[in-house]
Amino acid sequence: MVTQPTFKTLEHRGWSERARIYDRYSGRFCRYGVAALIDAAGISRGQTTLDVCCGTGEASLAAAACGAIVTGVDFSEDMIVAAQAKGSNVNFQVGDAEALIFEDAAFDRVINNFGTLHLADPERAIAEAARVLKPGGRYAFTVWRGPEIAPLFRIVPEVVSAHGTLEVDLPPAPPMFRFAEREEAMRVLSAAGFTDVTFGDIPATLDFPLAELSDFFRHAFVRLTMVLDRQEPTARARIEEALGERFQDFTDNGIVHLPLPALVVSAARA
């Protein structure tokens, strides 16, 4: 019997395939969270810091630039190789956010830049962050805001539904914007042993040439690319054409400037 892929295995495959080009595509807008993340976590010189879902290491490098002693972990070996190639003093290693190999109370700070929405069991990952933090240590993560204020996450499902289908052969995914809901974030963090929860808005923008829409969407996203790849060819063409039309309102001199607001959430380990 053929084993069907899980959400986690598909995420792993998708991001591993994009590791060498991550900075050119996804990294261009994910890096907007880094400065806010470092500030919210209160990272400073000498602090032991764990960067979970570190990807190609941008947040890890920023924390190290503050003088922190940084370990970066990602479930994709290809991402870790890309991070290590940047030649820093960060200890990059393969690791699972939902089953960290570190001892209890090993770190002063834990950060996660836009990785939470790619986790199959984010509550477990948050509990793991609490476990490896020292009492009084701080945890911070970034998440995208939902479709009510982020045009990308409203326009894309509307267009796909109008010209194709969202009912494709993919395993169910966790709610993408769950932790952008402040009450839900506070509830889960409190249950994991966190206190002093704070929130901060991040004004981010997704910029790409309108003429390169198809290329950008194929390489910058994983779940969305899988949805688009499962459309009939004629439907896929109509979807891309309709997306280009909808993005015209955000386009200047051929460059799309799409608001992509985010949220930084931080909390202290009790």
Side-chain angles (χ1 to χ4, degrees):
M1 184 176 67
V2 178
T3 301
Q4 295 299 316
T6 64
F7 171 81
K8 187 170 185 174
T9 58
L10 288 177
E11 286 284 315
H12 180 273
R13 181 190 307 167
W15 291 115
S16 294
E17 290 171 349
R18 287 160 175 77
R20 296 178 63 182
I21 58 172
Y22 178 88
D23 291 342
R24 179 181 171 187
Y25 292 94
S26 309
R28 284 164 46 187
F29 52 92
C30 286
R31 65 172 54 102
Y32 284 119
V34 172
L37 194 68
I38 299 300
D39 183 62
I43 293 175
S44 60
R45 182 169 299 278
Q47 291 176 335
T48 51
T49 299
L50 176 64
D51 181 12
V52 180
C53 305
C54 69
T56 60
E58 289 300 303
S60 299
L61 295 170
C66 294
I69 303 166
V70 184
T71 299
V73 298
D74 197 279
F75 70 166
S76 166
E77 183 177 355
D78 296 283
M79 285 287 189
I80 292 300
V81 169
Q84 291 171 335
K86 295 181 178 180
S88 76
N89 57 353
V90 174
N91 174 26
F92 288 113
Q93 59 189 76
V94 177
D96 188 339
E98 298 164 7
L100 296 170
I101 63 171
F102 308 105
E103 296 181 357
D104 296 357
F107 296 95
D108 297 305
R109 299 289 186 268
V110 176
I111 57 176
N112 183 332
N113 191 39
F114 297 115
T116 303
L117 71 161
H118 300 294
L119 299 174
D121 190 351
E123 286 181 287
R124 181 60 189 161
I126 289 171
E128 279 290 272
R131 181 183 66 78
V132 302
L133 267 173
K134 298 175 183 178
R138 200 150 191 94
Y139 173 50
F141 63 91
T142 48
V143 290
W144 301 115
R145 301 296 300 276
E148 68 279 2
I149 61 171
L152 175 70
F153 302 123
R154 181 178 67 255
I155 291 172
V156 171
E158 288 177 352
V159 168
V160 173
S161 294
H163 301 282
T165 179
L166 291 170
E167 300 300 321
V168 296
D169 183 23
L170 287 173
M176 184 173 178
F177 307 107
R178 177 183 176 190
F179 295 102
E181 299 294 334
R182 301 186 186 210
E183 289 186 2
E184 177 66 0
M186 291 182 69
R187 184 190 69 79
V188 175
L189 286 165
S190 177
F194 287 103
T195 62
D196 186 27
V197 182
T198 66
F199 300 89
D201 292 316
I202 304 172
T205 307
L206 172 58
D207 301 319
F208 62 92
L210 184 59
E212 298 176 12
L213 184 151
S214 180
D215 176 71
F216 190 84
F217 271 62
R218 174 168 294 279
H219 293 108
F221 307 99
V222 169
R223 183 82 177 184
L224 174 57
T225 297
M226 289 188 290
V227 171
L228 293 175
D229 284 347
R230 284 160 173 78
Q231 307 299 316
E232 294 293 333
T234 54
R236 172 69 183 264
R238 289 196 300 268
I239 289 168
E240 292 183 0
E241 181 181 4
L243 285 175
E245 293 170 356
R246 293 287 295 273
F247 291 155
Q248 283 289 350
D249 290 343
F250 305 94
T251 302
D252 181 39
N253 290 325
I255 304 297
V256 179
H257 304 286
L258 200 62
L260 195 64
L263 192 70
V264 59
V265 185
S266 68
R269 180 69 171 95

